[in-house]
Amino acid sequence: MRQKRTLGNVHSRQYGDLAPFQGRGRRRPRVFRTLLGAVLVVVLIGTVAIGGYLLAGYLKMTRGAAPDATPTPVSSVTSAVSPGVTPEPTFVDQAGLERDLRVPIDAVAQKDPDVQNILLIGVDRRNTASMAGNSDTMMIISVDRRNQTMKMLSILRDCYVTIEKDGKTVKGKINAAYSYGGPGLTINTLNRTFDLDIQKYVLVDFKSAEAVVTAAGGLDIDVSASEMKNMNLSILETNRVILPDTPASPTLTAAGLQHLDARQTISYARIRKVDLVVNGKTIPMDFGRVERQKIVLRGLMAKFFDADVLKKLDITNQVFDMVETNFRLSDALSLMQFASTQLKKDAASIGGYTIPVYKYYTVVETPVWCFVVDFNKAIPDIQQYIWGKTFDFTPRDPVSP
């Protein structure tokens, strides 16, 4: 019998959509959980690739229990920045805000009823206090029912923005929003900053990422010689530090196209300090990392599309208990119908976009390394990419340290 997990005693009604499937009497039959899981896996399974390199967080979906809204205090929150760069001051030092990992998601109107944008957040469970706090990967999956397509939009963690909470504002990297408001404050910050309409999210960690890739049977990925050292260091770190109580994976002994197990695949998605070369085009550093994540995402989606119904359900049963989401059954059933009957099954056609676009930002190195984004140029491009048209928005000033 599966043991019920409890993270705290805060009533779920306090958080609305942020605390689904909790404390509502009789448990739903397993068939409903399986249906819901199938929906999320069909549409979102590949997203666990983003969990590979992430920092900070300990949230997890529970069934029959409410989340703990009082996180363990952390004396400092540092940013993983380029060597020699002064770490960013803690969010508490800057704004005096208390931590609250259950900030409600502010309701915003959906710009197009046929297009739904879902935020994918990755967190990492480590026993290192200095690693706690930020969500260093955020990816939006845009589901377009009218055109029967999916698109990916990655937001780099070093974008400098204004974060608003409890009537206070603070400037900081966008990944700091998660540390002080969880998925809710992250979504609110993205919506305000980039004129988006996100209302739903899925959150994964290292363990759930590995579970999904394991269930998919691993992936065939072409690893370059320049990527091997960084990737092997990541594999060793995961074996010894991040997940020391789970089976270790071997390091790579040769470059080239090869089959990677789950831990090796996640380590590939973590590569950050090595440029990625695709079809003769060089994609630098952090930009290369989010492209690797998209490679893994497309690979997982392709394998899932090719699987039969029983395999899909098997994958669902293996991994669904390990994610947090605010999807409800009605949302999931609607998404399942679309995914199973209308979504184009060509994973290679899933589009990709990254914020910031190279022509709409400048790099600032002191007092903190970050991207200063020209929002008034970036927002129309983002809108055109997601919705195929632009909308009026209130002009925004660039935010810099």
Side-chain angles (χ1 to χ4, degrees):
M1 178 179 295
R2 184 175 295 163
Q3 183 177 8
K4 185 172 75 173
R5 291 163 290 179
T6 302
L7 293 181
N9 57 4
V10 181
H11 295 301
S12 63
R13 63 176 179 270
Q14 180 179 355
Y15 305 113
D17 279 352
L18 284 172
F21 313 119
Q22 298 170 357
R24 298 177 183 173
R26 185 178 62 183
R27 294 178 62 180
R28 289 186 174 92
R30 183 174 180 82
V31 64
F32 288 118
R33 304 202 312 272
T34 301
L35 286 173
L36 178 55
V39 174
L40 294 177
V41 175
V42 167
V43 180
L44 304 172
I45 188 172
T47 64
V48 297
I50 69 174
Y53 72 93
L54 307 171
L55 299 177
Y58 60 86
L59 298 178
K60 186 174 183 180
M61 178 177 176
T62 60
R63 189 182 295 111
D68 187 351
T70 307
T72 302
V74 177
S75 58
S76 65
V77 178
T78 60
S79 299
V81 296
S82 301
V85 176
T86 303
E88 184 177 4
T90 69
F91 195 78
V92 168
D93 288 343
Q94 292 176 327
L97 301 183
E98 295 182 359
R99 289 172 175 262
D100 178 3
L101 293 181
R102 286 295 164 186
V103 169
I105 298 172
D106 293 338
V108 297
Q110 193 171 355
K111 295 182 182 297
D112 185 328
D114 290 320
V115 178
Q116 182 177 26
N117 295 307
I118 303 158
L119 179 63
L120 312 171
I121 307 170
V123 297
D124 172 15
R125 297 165 186 259
R126 302 191 187 201
N127 296 320
T128 306
S130 64
M131 302 298 288
N134 299 339
S135 61
D136 285 319
T137 293
M138 293 149 282
M139 184 183 291
I140 297 165
I141 297 296
S142 185
V143 181
D144 187 332
R145 295 174 183 267
R146 182 183 302 108
N147 297 307
Q148 303 176 5
T149 59
M150 289 175 56
K151 299 174 183 176
M152 299 177 288
L153 191 153
S154 298
I155 301 96
L156 292 186
R157 63 185 183 178
D158 292 319
C159 293
Y160 218 70
V161 301
T162 297
I163 301 171
E164 302 178 20
K165 179 176 179 289
D166 297 334
K168 299 180 181 180
T169 63
V170 62
K171 297 190 298 182
K173 294 184 180 182
I174 198 165
N175 62 346
Y178 177 82
S179 176
Y180 291 88
L185 188 57
T186 301
I187 289 174
N188 296 342
T189 302
L190 287 169
N191 286 343
R192 293 183 188 126
T193 302
F194 296 107
D195 195 46
L196 295 166
D197 62 355
I198 304 165
Q199 294 292 283
K200 299 295 183 182
Y201 74 92
V202 173
L203 184 148
V204 297
D205 61 12
F206 272 110
K207 289 184 178 179
S208 54
E210 286 202 0
V212 172
V213 182
T214 297
L219 289 178
D220 294 333
I221 293 179
D222 191 357
V223 182
S224 70
S226 62
E227 293 171 322
M228 279 187 59
K229 179 179 179 180
N230 194 284
M231 183 172 167
N232 281 338
L233 288 173
S234 178
I235 294 171
L236 292 174
E237 180 190 25
T238 306
N239 289 342
R240 299 170 182 172
V241 180
I242 301 175
L243 296 175
D245 298 326
T246 58
S249 290
T251 56
L252 302 191
T253 58
L257 180 63
Q258 54 198 295
H259 186 77
L260 304 182
D261 67 19
R263 185 160 299 183
Q264 293 168 338
T265 300
I266 300 305
S267 296
Y268 172 81
R270 294 182 68 193
I271 296 173
R272 173 173 175 253
K273 297 181 179 180
V274 180
D275 295 345
L276 174 66
V277 179
V278 179
N279 297 326
K281 179 182 178 181
T282 299
I283 306 173
M285 305 290 281
D286 285 301
F287 292 89
R289 175 169 52 183
V290 297
E291 292 305 316
R292 290 184 183 93
Q293 294 164 10
K294 292 167 187 172
I295 288 171
V296 173
L297 169 60
R298 292 187 182 102
L300 288 170
M301 292 298 291
K303 296 195 76 169
F304 194 80
F305 287 151
D306 290 341
D308 59 30
V309 173
L310 291 179
K311 179 62 176 177
K312 286 183 173 72
L313 292 178
D314 179 57
I315 293 173
T316 300
N317 286 329
Q318 291 184 55
V319 304
F320 185 63
D321 282 346
M322 303 186 73
V323 304
E324 176 189 334
T325 180
N326 67 342
F327 270 89
R328 295 181 182 274
L329 182 60
S330 58
D331 304 322
L333 290 175
S334 175
L335 203 54
M336 171 185 281
Q337 183 180 18
F338 167 75
S340 61
T341 62
Q342 300 177 55
L343 183 65
K344 295 177 181 177
K345 302 303 189 294
D346 181 9
S349 69
I350 298 175
Y353 191 94
T354 299
I355 300 173
V357 178
Y358 73 94
K359 56 185 176 181
Y360 298 147
Y361 74 86
T362 56
V363 173
V364 173
E365 296 188 1
T366 58
V368 57
W369 199 99
C370 66
F371 298 116
V372 176
V373 181
D374 186 335
F375 302 119
N376 296 326
K377 292 182 178 179
I379 289 173
D381 270 14
I382 294 169
Q383 293 178 345
Q384 189 66 43
Y385 173 72
I386 292 178
W387 292 283
K389 57 184 176 181
T390 58
F391 304 87
D392 292 335
F393 66 92
T394 303
R396 293 153 168 76
D397 294 327
V399 181
S400 59

